[in-house]
Amino acid sequence: MMSRSSSWQAGLTVVLATCAGASAPAFAADGFTLKDKPKIAMLYYGPKNDGGWTQAFDEARVKIEKELGQKIQFVENVPEDASAIKPAAEKFIQRGANIVIGTAFGYSDSFKELAAKYPQVAFLNGSGTTNAANLQAFYGRTYESHYLCGMAAGAASKTGKLGFVAANPFGVVNWTVNAFALGAQKVNPAATVNVIYTGTWHDPVKERAAAMALIDQGAEVIGQHVDSPTPQIVAQERGKYGTGHHRDLRQFAPKATLCSSVWTWEKYLAPEIKKIAAGNWKPAPYGAFIPMSQGGTDIAGFGPAVPADKVKVIQAEREAIMKGKQVYAGPLSDRDGKERVPAGGVLSDADLWKMDWYVKGVITQK
């Protein structure tokens, strides 16, 4: 079975190729139209109560059901393996499902094959890389919400020493690390971010060790891009602060968590499902890369350690992002002094996906 970590690595070249301008999938002039009324099913990568990635999808499902006025079938714990993905999806299709939603990068190839085999079914896949006339991958611009959480971290820290527990040094993680640092430096220009990569998306033991090490090294606030709430729990145990990922992690560490980057999938999926139901649906050739303004992510908070005047500043910055402000706007150089975005420019999506550099003030270690 391919792990979520290795599937990201294996599929990264696909993302870079499409973003860099590879040929778009050949779509028909007319869009996709369902033959019957929409009947939706979801495949969950993990358990619905995992506290993070999958639970965010499950909570979105409940909101989507309410908005659409219909129940959505789902199955939990479908690993990133074709022998599990295809039978799970086909069981729903045999029961009449004509919109199938996946929740894992590692579903990408299987969903591409399913979309070809079942052209009458619409497929959507969270964090996927494959697209077709009846398949659309989608992911959120998490750097926007992590930038705002970085502002909260910078505002709560007295020394400006911050830590970050990250999964893997991939573009989608590095852009959150850099944005977190840029947000912190917006409030405190001297802020630094010490990063430890655990090498896995979900390993509470490694996450605990990393958070403990960062605090021992002087970090006052612990950010994260890993699946479990462990870094926040450790921060609370040690009398420090943190910022969460996936969901509002005040649920697990109410005293420590200053702000969380939270998925708001219902804000994207409900309108997208309505578009499919309306007919003539045309998936984006390279998938949907969703900004906060369209329901990718948002923030939840703030903890009492964030001064009220700084909360107003963060909220104003959030509104600016909602109106189109770019986090990765130039002039911007990396920590080695190399210009990455010129004055007046904005970092391209292709460069975001392949981000392998760090802004000034970011210190990385395994």
Side-chain angles (χ1 to χ4, degrees):
M1 182 181 77
M2 182 178 284
S3 69
R4 185 174 164 202
S5 174
S6 59
S7 66
W8 268 98
Q9 209 161 17
L12 187 58
T13 53
V14 177
V15 177
L16 299 183
T18 56
C19 287
S23 299
F27 290 179
D30 294 330
F32 172 87
T33 298
L34 294 174
K35 295 182 178 180
D36 298 301
K37 292 182 179 180
K39 188 173 183 180
I40 310 159
M42 296 181 72
L43 275 60
Y44 292 170
Y45 165 75
K48 68 177 185 178
N49 61 345
D50 69 349
W53 172 258
T54 299
Q55 189 165 340
F57 272 105
D58 190 61
E59 290 169 346
R61 173 188 60 82
V62 175
K63 295 174 183 177
I64 296 167
E65 286 181 336
K66 185 175 181 180
E67 181 167 346
L68 300 182
Q70 69 176 97
K71 287 292 183 181
I72 297 174
Q73 307 170 81
F74 68 94
V75 62
E76 304 172 71
N77 297 308
V78 179
E80 293 172 304
D81 187 286
S83 64
I85 299 162
K86 291 180 181 179
E90 289 179 326
K91 182 177 289 187
F92 284 129
I93 293 169
Q94 290 162 7
R95 294 175 181 171
N98 54 12
I99 299 177
V100 178
I101 302 171
T103 61
F105 189 100
Y107 292 4
S108 297
D109 291 342
S110 292
F111 266 50
K112 180 78 170 179
E113 293 172 12
L114 286 163
K117 184 176 180 180
Y118 299 99
Q120 77 280 13
V121 176
F123 294 88
L124 296 162
N125 187 26
S127 76
T129 60
T130 53
N131 300 279
N134 58 329
L135 165 63
Q136 179 163 277
F138 62 92
Y139 194 68
R141 296 179 183 267
T142 53
Y143 56 88
E144 294 179 330
S145 45
H146 275 277
Y147 169 81
L148 298 173
C149 285
M151 291 181 69
S157 171
K158 295 178 181 179
T159 66
K161 292 182 178 180
L162 312 176
F164 202 99
V165 180
N168 297 286
F170 302 160
V172 294
V173 179
N174 293 340
W175 76 41
T176 64
V177 170
N178 282 332
F180 182 81
L182 290 173
Q185 292 162 6
K186 176 79 173 178
V187 177
N188 179 356
T192 60
V193 180
N194 197 348
V195 186
I196 294 179
Y197 290 96
T198 63
T200 180
W201 298 104
H202 184 96
D203 189 326
V205 174
K206 289 184 178 179
E207 292 164 21
R208 172 170 286 277
M212 293 285 282
L214 290 167
I215 292 171
D216 288 343
Q217 293 167 18
E220 293 182 301
V221 184
I222 303 296
Q224 68 174 84
H225 188 150
V226 287
D227 283 359
S228 95
T230 303
Q232 304 305 298
I233 294 169
V234 171
Q236 182 158 299
E237 290 172 353
R238 294 288 298 272
K240 304 298 181 180
Y241 297 107
T243 65
H245 182 60
H246 290 319
R247 300 174 59 252
D248 185 350
L249 296 188
R250 287 178 296 181
Q251 174 187 353
F252 301 96
K255 294 179 181 179
T257 305
L258 303 169
C259 173
S260 292
S261 168
V262 299
W263 295 111
T264 55
W265 291 128
E266 70 281 355
K267 294 181 181 179
Y268 162 73
L269 285 172
E272 200 67 19
I273 291 168
K274 289 178 182 178
K275 290 179 186 177
I276 296 171
N280 200 34
W281 177 57
K282 296 180 180 180
Y286 301 128
F289 193 15
I290 316 160
M292 274 175 44
S293 59
Q294 296 175 20
T297 61
D298 206 333
I299 54 172
F302 297 91
V306 184
D309 60 329
K310 293 298 190 294
V311 169
K312 291 181 179 179
V313 172
I314 297 168
Q315 290 174 332
E317 200 73 354
R318 176 186 176 276
E319 287 304 309
I321 290 173
M322 287 288 194
K323 293 177 181 177
K325 177 175 179 174
Q326 297 293 316
V327 171
Y328 288 109
L332 181 64
S333 297
D334 63 24
R335 65 186 179 187
D336 299 318
K338 179 181 178 180
E339 182 180 78
R340 294 292 181 167
V341 187
V346 175
L347 197 66
S348 70
D349 286 354
D351 287 329
L352 279 166
W353 283 105
K354 67 181 181 182
M355 185 178 281
D356 59 358
W357 52 271
Y358 302 95
V359 298
K360 182 180 178 181
V362 174
I363 304 156
T364 51
Q365 56 186 278
K366 294 293 184 180

